[in-house]
Amino acid sequence: MSLPRNQQSRRRGISLIELIACTALVAILFIPIAGVIRASARTIESAQSGGSVATNLQNTLTWLSGMIDDGTVVTANASSLTLQRRDGTIVKIARSNNQLVMIDGKSTDVVLAEEILDLSVRSIVQPKPSSRWVGIEIDLVGLDTTKNRKVAVTATVVFPPQIPEPKKGG
């Protein structure tokens, strides 16, 4: 006994419900993969561009803050900073020819950052009556040559209380 023809051909294709379920599963699996692809593209773009100007300036200030934490500020004025490092050497951080340089007076100046438009250093002083110098604020302004605009970043460094008060520069 054979089955009627309409019952034989009934199971040859896929149903609409199966198609919708399969599409939903593929979409659910594709979302994380698309996120990974986007993150990879951003990382590659960032690596090829060498990082943004703001990131480079912030990294420079982070390094400089660490150097201040590891040494002692000898003098600070509006446009430069003089530090005594742990090994006893005195270095000056200043802007020279659109570069932020570290000058130790012995070897070649070390370039910390390029395309620097301005460096300013401000004292942070405790309120009266003590008027003790407790830290410095450093502003660094650079030029983003790709977009032809100024980029400014700021770092605040607080001196530990046990370090003697540095001399204020003019």
Side-chain angles (χ1 to χ4, degrees), residues 5 10-11 23 26 32 37-38 45 49 56 59 61 66 70 81 90 92 105 107 128-129 136 144 147 166 169-170:
R5 188 165 172 85
R10 189 176 245 184
R11 199 58 202 146
T23 304
V26 169
I37 291 170
R38 266 187 273 132
E45 181 183 337
S49 69
N56 292 340
N59 290 341
L61 284 181
D70 287 344
L81 188 60
I90 305 287
K92 181 178 182 179
S107 60
K128 293 182 180 182
I136 56 175
D144 184 349
K147 298 176 183 170

Side-chain angles (χ1 to χ4, degrees), residues 46-73:
S46 175
Q48 288 175 343
S49 69
S52 71
V53 173
T55 303
N56 292 340
L57 292 176
Q58 191 63 51
N59 290 341
T60 301
L61 284 181
T62 301
W63 179 85
L64 184 56
S65 298
M67 192 169 172
I68 292 168
D69 288 342
D70 287 344
T72 303
V73 176

Side-chain angles (χ1 to χ4, degrees), residues 26-103:
V26 169
I28 289 171
L29 294 176
F30 185 72
I31 290 171
I33 293 170
V36 169
I37 291 170
R38 266 187 273 132
S40 297
R42 276 184 267 156
T43 302
I44 290 169
E45 181 183 337
S46 175
Q48 288 175 343
S49 69
S52 71
V53 173
T55 303
N56 292 340
L57 292 176
Q58 191 63 51
N59 290 341
T60 301
L61 284 181
T62 301
W63 179 85
L64 184 56
S65 298
M67 192 169 172
I68 292 168
D69 288 342
D70 287 344
T72 303
V73 176
V74 177
T75 61
N77 62 38
S79 61
S80 70
L81 188 60
T82 305
L83 307 170
Q84 181 174 8
R85 297 167 69 178
R86 286 189 182 197
D87 63 2
T89 58
I90 305 287
V91 295
K92 181 178 182 179
I93 310 293
R95 187 176 71 89
S96 174
N97 298 328
N98 289 336
Q99 295 176 329
L100 184 66
V101 294
M102 182 173 65
I103 306 161

